[in-house]
Amino acid sequence: MLHEVFVKYHIGFVVDDQDKLWNRMSDSHLDMDAAASQGLYPLHRCKTLHLVRHAQGFHNVEGDKNPDAYLSYDLFDANLTPLGWSQVDNLRKHVKTSDVSKGIELVIVSPLLRTMQTAVGVFGGEAYTDGITAPPLMNDNVGDSGRPAISSLNCPPFIAVEQCREHLGVHPCDKRRSITEYRNMFPAIDFSLIESDEDILWKPDIRETNEEVVARGLKLWKRKEKEIAVVSHSGFLFHALSSFGNDCHPTIKSEICTHYANCELRSVVIIDRGMIGSDNPTTNYPGKIPAGLDLPSDIADEKLSGNGEAN
C-alpha cells in the first residue's frame, strides 16, 4: 500500500485506480517512442533524390539465362531491349502524371548506354522535330533502338557522372565507350565531369569491391541541387544506400536497402547532419523587418520566474 501511494504521488498526479495509472504511463511511453522515432530537420539541409535503376538491358536477359554471359564481350556496354523501352515509356507516364518531374533540378546519369537511354527516355523532352535549334538529348536510333530523337527542351539538365556507375571491372557490360562516341549519341548530356575520353576505370581482371562502391556513392550526394534524379544500376544503388537507414525501423531499412527492379523509381530524402553539403536557406525569413518589440510571453514567464528565485 505504501509503495502504491509513493508511486501515485511521485509521478506528479493522483489516480483513483491503479489500472488507470499504468494505462496512462503506457500511453506516455508510447508518446515518447513516437517522438523518438521522428526527426525534425531544416529544409535547406535536406535533398530529395529520385533514384532509378535502368530499364531491362540485353545483358539482363542473357545473364538471367546463364550468369557466365556477364563475362562475354558480346554484351559490351549493353543497350536496352524492346521490353526495356516499354518499361521506360511506362515510367515516363508515371513521373508526368505524379508530377515528380516538375521539381527536378538535375538528372545525374551513369555514362553507360542503358542508363543514358533510360534517363533521357524518362526525364527528357518530347520527340525531337525539325526546326528545333537546341541539340537533342538523344539522336535517333541510338543503340539500334529504332527510337526517334529526344528533345532537350522543357526538361532539367542532364550530367553524366562516373561515381554512379555499376561495379567496375571484369564484366564487359559495365565497361563504357569513349566519351567522344557518347557525345555523338547524346549531344545535350553534359560529360564535362568525366576526365578521360577512354574508360580507364574498368579493369578486365579486377572487380570493384562493395566497400569501394559505397565510398564513391557517398561522394555523389554533396551536390548543391535540392531535388535530383539519379539513373544508375542495381549494384550501385543497393550498396551505396546500404550505409543509410541503420537507425530506422527494419521495415524502413528494407525499403531503402533492397535490390531495385528494372526501371524502378524510389524517392527518398537525404539529410545533411554534418554540414557536408548544405547551402544557406532560401525559404527562411529572418523576421523583425521593420524591427519592433517582440518579447514572447513564455520567455517573459521564464524571466519572472528567474527574478523570483533570485529574490
Side-chain angles (χ1 to χ4, degrees):
M1 181 65 182
L2 289 175
H3 174 71
E4 181 182 342
V5 171
F6 170 77
V7 170
K8 288 178 180 178
Y9 282 90
H10 181 68
I11 62 176
F13 56 85
V14 179
V15 295
D16 296 329
D17 178 42
Q18 189 173 17
D19 289 339
K20 291 181 180 179
L21 168 64
W22 297 117
N23 287 339
R24 190 174 298 185
M25 291 176 66
S26 177
D27 290 343
S28 177
H29 282 300
L30 288 174
D31 290 341
M32 287 189 290
D33 289 343
S37 68
Q38 297 174 351
L40 186 67
Y41 300 93
L43 180 62
H44 68 286
R45 304 202 186 280
C46 304
K47 297 182 191 294
T48 300
L49 304 176
H50 303 287
L51 306 174
V52 179
R53 181 191 174 195
H54 62 78
Q56 185 194 69
F58 281 100
H59 67 304
N60 296 134
V61 175
E62 298 305 318
D64 194 75
K65 296 175 185 175
N66 178 9
D68 288 339
Y70 283 111
L71 302 174
S72 172
Y73 278 84
D74 291 338
L75 297 174
F76 164 66
D77 193 20
N79 57 290
L80 298 186
T81 65
L83 177 66
W85 278 109
S86 295
Q87 293 171 342
V88 167
D89 293 338
N90 286 327
L91 180 53
R92 180 181 179 84
K93 292 175 185 175
H94 169 74
V95 300
K96 294 296 183 184
T97 56
S98 63
D99 289 337
V100 167
S101 59
K102 287 187 176 180
I104 294 174
E105 301 170 61
L106 179 70
V107 178
I108 293 176
V109 59
S110 165
L112 283 146
L113 193 54
R114 59 189 181 271
T115 41
M116 290 189 286
Q117 287 177 319
T118 301
V120 301
V122 172
F123 299 108
E126 301 300 329
Y128 193 81
T129 58
D130 292 337
I132 296 177
T133 57
L137 276 169
M138 184 181 79
N139 282 319
D140 65 297
N141 200 36
V142 164
D144 296 322
S145 63
R147 304 284 291 201
I150 296 174
S151 171
S152 60
L153 298 178
N154 302 314
C155 64
F158 286 64
I159 188 165
V161 176
E162 299 263 38
Q163 280 99 328
C164 62
R165 286 177 61 176
E166 186 56 287
H167 280 84
L168 297 166
V170 181
H171 295 172
C173 59
D174 300 326
K175 178 176 171 60
R176 69 165 172 83
R177 301 166 197 255
S178 71
I179 299 303
T180 300
E181 290 179 83
Y182 285 146
R183 281 198 172 107
N184 290 329
M185 298 176 181
F186 302 95
I189 291 182
D190 181 358
F191 294 96
S192 63
L193 292 182
I194 299 178
E195 297 178 357
S196 174
D197 188 52
E198 298 296 331
D199 188 358
I200 60 174
L201 301 177
W202 186 92
K203 308 296 182 185
D205 54 350
I206 301 174
R207 185 73 168 166
E208 190 178 26
T209 66
N210 295 339
E211 291 74 19
E212 288 170 327
V213 174
V214 171
R216 60 180 166 90
L218 291 175
K219 298 175 183 178
L220 189 64
W221 318 130
K222 298 179 183 180
R223 293 195 58 96
K224 65 178 182 179
E225 293 85 4
K226 297 303 181 186
E227 189 162 354
I228 304 170
V230 180
V231 183
S232 185
H233 307 264
S234 174
F236 172 81
L237 291 170
F238 178 77
H239 293 292
L241 296 175
S242 64
S243 57
F244 297 98
N246 295 319
D247 55 348
C248 297
H249 187 278
T251 300
I252 297 175
K253 174 70 174 179
S254 68
E255 286 183 39
I256 298 171
C257 302
T258 55
H259 284 285
Y260 278 59
N262 280 131
C263 222
E264 181 179 355
L265 162 67
R266 297 181 204 165
S267 298
V268 299
V269 174
I270 189 166
I271 298 164
D272 180 10
R273 295 175 177 172
M275 301 288 289
I276 295 173
S278 296
D279 295 323
N280 292 326
T282 58
T283 58
N284 290 5
Y285 186 73
K288 295 189 73 171
I289 301 175
L293 301 177
D294 66 348
L295 179 68
S297 61
D298 55 333
I299 295 180
D301 290 342
E302 291 175 8
K303 287 187 174 184
L304 289 172
S305 175
N307 290 337
E309 291 174 1
N311 292 334

